[in-house]
Amino acid sequence: MDTQRTVSVARFILPGILAAAVAFLAAVSFTGIARPAELADPGAFVRWSLPIARAIHHASMALSIAALVFAAAIIPRAAKVTRDTEAAKVTRDTEGDAHPAFTRTMNIAAGAAVVWTLSAATVMLLTFWDLAGIPMSLDPQYSAAILDYILSITTGRAWAWMVVIAAITSSLALAVRSKTTVGLSALFSLFGILPLAFIGHAAGGDDHFAAVNSIGLHLLAVVLWFGGIMVLALLAPTLGGEAPGRARGQVLAGVVLKRYSALATFAVFLMIGSGLASAVIRITDWDQWLTPYGTLVIVKLLITLALGMLGLWHRRMVIPKLLEGKFTALRAAWQVVAAEVVLMAAVMSVATVLARTAPPTSDAPPAEATPARLLTGYDLPPAPDTAAWFTTWRMDWIWVAVCLFGLAVYLWAFIKLARRGDKPSVLRLASWIVGLFALFYVTSGAVAVYGKIQFSTHMVDHMSLTMIVPIFLVLGTPVTLLLQVLPSRADGTRGPREWILYLVHSRYSRVITHPIFAAVNFAGSIVVFYFTPLLEPAMRYHAGHELMNLHFLLTGYLFALSLVDADPVPKRYPYPMRLVVLLATVAFHAFFGVALMSTETLLAPDYFGNMGRTWGGTALEDQVVGAGAMWAIGEVPTLVLAIFVVISWLRQDKKDTKRYDRQAERDNDAELAAYNEMFARYKQADRRDPRA
């Protein structure tokens, strides 16, 4: 059996390796990246070894991350497979042994992570010799230069972090096996995308922040799609099962392929969208599409489109035949993998060479950078007028993807619930759409652009993320809607529904959804960001700015969720407590706003004080305006929250009254009779007491 599995794996892997090699050599020959450099040439060994090491690194990283994702949400952990007349169903195995597919998946994750670690270290060293422009040497005199490269140069630091992330991932893949820890390990492994995003080709362009975000999203799609294909190829023999269990293997393979198909569909759209967003940042003219860089982008896009359509068609054709018994599990896995592995390997090879190809738009910064460009990465925008608040945009592709994904999932759930015969709330749908549009505007519109320049606009951005956007999102009740339509699983894995329920009922959720904690977190975040040195790095650095936006949004969402009866939380606290917490927050807002308006100390002075604005008031005057905006903007949303709390209170009182009335009708008002009887006994006891 082991020999058969080895032969089967070879059938899946060898064509992909061959296709990758052919595409790699063709792309290298076309772009000429392996030709000797005119000025500083690192030698033939470095020129050829670096792209090969990068290809191995990218493939092993994708395989390791995808294997952990499979183990966390796709592959049954300990299961036996049965069939019914409607669909495949996987039930819990009473023996409790790990399923061979789950064990193999974790072994794949660990092995690939080890290769990931070693290849990352190799790329780190080869990149040093490539940047130095001298042939590779093991002479100890270069040790100090390599150390300085790792500690001081952005590229060196990024690859050093990659080595650390890969090493930790390999340790986790070897050590953890519980549902929660495997899921957290998969989440941690995704941090490996960040170093590549920050040092990618387009990340050095004029629109640096947008480039980093688009590359990060593109890498996420590649990891899930390409890595998933490789995991399926390596798992195919295990999914097939032994000969006596062929029917079970068919159902198990069908379940796995269905789950992967949903993941791959998401990855296809994300890859195409993020790839185009990343390309147009570096290709600013139509003629540039005919350059080697533009040609590679077109080739990559065409192969990706063909791959997506072919893969989707194959999965839709193969899975029904598999569940009907027309295909064996091994043949079905081969059909799906063979349809995609060759083209996917070609895409990865082209992408590897594309990363080494000079883009048509120069990465060189302007000869005379303005203070605003030095601080924000962008030139100073013109003075804002009325039209500018509607026409000024700078796409933050991470939040664009979040908004589009949130809209697509909500509409899918809404339509599915309506087709089932239920009546989903149109008002909640409208609230969700308004919330997403507001999130899109405050992260990519004029508020985001001018918020990097002016403290006053930044404060509008902040208060919108914490007080306006979350209210609409919470009233959309997305968790409730998803729990109504997402299927449950019985095979020991945690799908989307199981992970949502786990998070909702966890101890962590019990703490963060407590009204007092949410209020303290809400108020404390303001103090921490604006009265500590955190504000300046959060404004200056891209990662800090994105984390700040995420923190503001989550803080406001948890605060609104703890007050309004919308989605489920571990415990709902009394309405008087919620109102008191809300009033205390209003008082704090007022106190903080007045304190900020009266201070004569400029916040983040090295940032806002050196912006070089040629319009508007001074930085300190603008800070006073921002403090007033914070106070003013916070009042209306707080009033809205108070109204919803009161409405929920009144509705709950009506429900309690109706429940008491129904109970009284059933037992002839036994509770009231017992109450009156108690007082009658007290009265008789008082009459018998001689001291009365």
Side-chain angles (χ1 to χ4, degrees):
M1 186 62 187
D2 292 338
T3 303
Q4 293 178 354
R5 289 184 176 182
T6 302
V7 173
S8 299
V9 171
R11 290 172 57 196
F12 295 134
I13 300 301
L14 291 180
I17 295 177
L18 180 60
V22 172
F24 175 80
L25 293 174
V28 168
S29 301
F30 177 72
T31 58
I33 62 173
R35 288 197 296 264
E38 296 181 359
L39 297 179
D41 182 33
F45 177 79
V46 173
R47 291 197 311 270
W48 283 96
S49 298
L50 182 54
I52 293 174
R54 281 179 177 271
I56 295 174
H57 170 270
H58 297 345
S60 59
M61 182 183 77
L63 180 59
S64 179
I65 296 175
L68 287 172
V69 172
F70 266 61
I74 295 179
I75 297 295
R77 297 174 58 84
K80 61 182 180 181
V81 184
T82 59
R83 298 191 65 177
D84 58 22
T85 56
E86 295 182 359
K89 181 170 63 177
V90 183
T91 57
R92 193 78 171 177
D93 187 358
T94 56
E95 296 180 1
D97 295 332
H99 192 283
F102 176 78
T103 302
R104 190 182 183 95
T105 304
M106 293 303 297
N107 291 338
I108 291 171
V114 172
V115 178
W116 177 12
T117 305
L118 296 176
S119 60
T122 302
V123 172
M124 179 178 66
L125 294 177
L126 290 174
T127 304
F128 166 77
W129 297 108
D130 184 58
L131 293 176
I134 56 178
M136 187 174 180
S137 173
L138 301 179
D139 195 311
Q141 65 177 335
Y142 293 110
S143 299
I146 294 175
L147 182 61
D148 184 65
Y149 156 75
I150 294 174
L151 297 178
S152 304
I153 305 301
T154 301
T155 303
R157 288 200 304 265
W159 281 108
W161 275 111
M162 183 68 81
V163 174
V164 173
I165 294 171
I168 295 176
T169 301
S170 63
S171 300
L172 291 174
L174 289 169
V176 304
R177 287 299 182 270
S178 69
K179 297 178 184 178
T180 303
T181 54
V182 170
L184 292 176
S185 299
L187 183 63
F188 174 81
S189 67
L190 291 173
F191 282 98
I193 293 174
L194 297 180
L196 287 181
F198 279 99
I199 61 175
H201 224 324
D206 188 56
D207 196 351
H208 173 73
F209 291 170
V212 170
N213 290 349
S214 60
I215 292 176
L217 294 172
H218 196 66
L219 291 172
L220 174 62
V222 170
V223 162
L224 295 178
W225 193 6
F226 177 66
I229 286 293
M230 290 192 294
V231 172
L232 281 178
L234 295 173
L235 287 180
T238 308
L239 298 180
E242 302 290 343
R246 176 171 294 182
R248 296 199 302 270
Q250 289 170 337
V251 178
L252 174 60
V255 170
V256 172
L257 290 177
K258 273 187 174 181
R259 294 172 182 174
Y260 170 72
S261 181
L263 183 66
T265 301
F266 163 75
V268 167
F269 287 105
L270 183 61
M271 180 182 290
I272 294 174
S274 59
L276 285 175
S278 180
V280 297
I281 294 173
R282 309 308 307 280
I283 299 177
T284 57
D285 192 282
W286 287 106
D287 294 338
Q288 294 177 348
W289 287 99
L290 301 178
T291 62
Y293 184 91
T295 303
L296 283 178
V297 170
I298 295 174
V299 170
K300 181 183 174 184
L301 176 61
L302 293 177
I303 297 177
T304 304
L305 286 173
L307 179 59
M309 292 186 292
L310 183 62
L312 181 61
W313 177 76
H314 266 83
R315 288 190 292 273
R316 288 187 174 183
M317 180 190 69
V318 169
I319 294 175
K321 290 184 178 181
L322 173 66
L323 297 178
E324 293 171 4
K326 297 180 180 179
F327 282 176
T328 63
L330 190 59
R331 180 185 174 188
W334 165 245
Q335 290 280 98
V336 172
V337 172
E340 302 183 31
V341 68
V342 175
L343 289 177
M344 180 61 78
V347 170
M348 288 295 293
S349 296
V350 172
T352 301
V353 176
L354 184 64
R356 297 272 296 166
T357 305
T361 301
S362 175
D363 292 338
E368 296 181 1
T370 62
R373 174 173 282 275
L374 293 175
L375 291 171
T376 69
Y378 301 94
D379 289 326
L380 189 73
D385 53 15
T386 303
W389 297 107
F390 302 97
T391 59
T392 303
W393 296 88
R394 184 184 296 150
M395 295 300 166
D396 189 324
W397 293 110
I398 287 182
W399 291 108
V400 171
V402 168
C403 293
L404 292 176
F405 179 75
L407 179 61
V409 172
Y410 198 99
L411 289 176
W412 167 80
F414 185 91
I415 294 173
K416 187 172 183 179
L417 193 63
R419 288 179 176 177
R420 200 170 66 187
D422 297 324
K423 295 182 178 179
S425 173
V426 177
L427 290 178
R428 291 179 178 177
L429 172 62
S431 177
W432 181 256
I433 293 175
V434 171
L436 290 180
F437 180 79
L439 177 61
F440 167 64
Y441 178 74
V442 299
T443 54
S444 298
V447 174
V449 174
Y450 287 98
K452 295 279 291 182
I453 302 298
Q454 288 181 292
F455 180 84
S456 58
T457 312
H458 160 76
M459 190 57 73
V460 174
D461 194 3
H462 172 186
M463 295 308 297
S464 299
L465 283 172
T466 55
M467 295 296 293
I468 298 176
V469 174
I471 295 177
F472 289 102
L473 296 181
V474 167
L475 293 178
T477 62
V479 174
T480 301
L481 180 64
L482 289 177
L483 291 177
Q484 289 176 314
V485 299
L486 288 174
S488 58
R489 296 184 180 181
D491 61 354
T493 58
R494 283 180 181 163
R497 178 184 176 84
E498 286 72 25
W499 277 110
I500 290 174
L501 289 174
Y502 171 77
L503 293 174
V504 168
H505 297 295
S506 65
R507 294 181 180 178
Y508 178 72
S509 178
R510 181 179 291 271
V511 172
I512 63 176
T513 57
H514 193 291
I516 295 179
F517 178 90
V520 171
N521 184 35
F522 184 86
S525 298
I526 298 176
V527 175
V528 169
F529 266 101
Y530 296 108
F531 284 164
T532 69
L534 273 180
L535 178 60
E536 185 165 334
M539 297 298 300
R540 183 187 294 266
Y541 300 110
H542 178 54
H545 193 263
E546 295 290 10
L547 290 174
M548 179 179 64
N549 286 343
L550 178 63
H551 178 78
F552 287 159
L553 180 64
L554 291 180
T555 298
Y557 188 91
L558 291 174
F559 182 67
L561 182 63
S562 68
L563 299 176
V564 179
D565 290 340
D567 281 327
V569 294
K571 183 179 179 180
R572 284 293 179 188
Y573 292 87
Y575 293 100
M577 175 193 290
R578 302 187 213 177
L579 287 176
V580 169
V581 167
L582 188 58
L583 293 175
T585 306
V586 173
F588 173 80
H589 258 213
F591 171 78
F592 186 87
V594 171
L596 194 57
M597 291 174 67
S598 59
T599 185
E600 296 183 357
T601 301
L602 182 63
L603 302 181
D606 292 337
Y607 185 82
F608 290 110
N610 294 324
M611 193 61 64
R613 282 188 293 110
T614 56
W615 42 263
T618 65
L620 191 58
E621 293 172 346
D622 184 67
Q623 181 173 293
V624 174
V625 175
M630 172 192 172
W631 187 4
I633 294 175
E635 298 304 313
V636 175
T638 302
L639 177 62
V640 172
L641 284 175
I643 292 174
F644 277 107
V645 172
V646 172
I647 292 175
S648 299
W649 193 352
L650 294 176
R651 287 179 176 176
Q652 188 61 44
D653 282 345
K654 290 182 180 179
K655 291 180 181 179
D656 293 340
T657 301
K658 290 180 180 180
R659 186 173 67 251
Y660 294 148
D661 290 342
R662 289 194 298 267
Q663 179 67 26
E665 292 177 0
R666 287 195 298 267
D667 57 14
N668 294 323
D669 214 351
E671 185 177 354
L672 179 60
Y675 184 76
N676 292 333
E677 183 179 351
M678 178 186 67
F679 277 101
R681 289 197 303 269
Y682 288 161
K683 184 175 182 180
Q684 291 178 2
D686 289 341
R687 289 177 178 176
R688 289 194 299 268
D689 191 346
R691 293 173 298 178

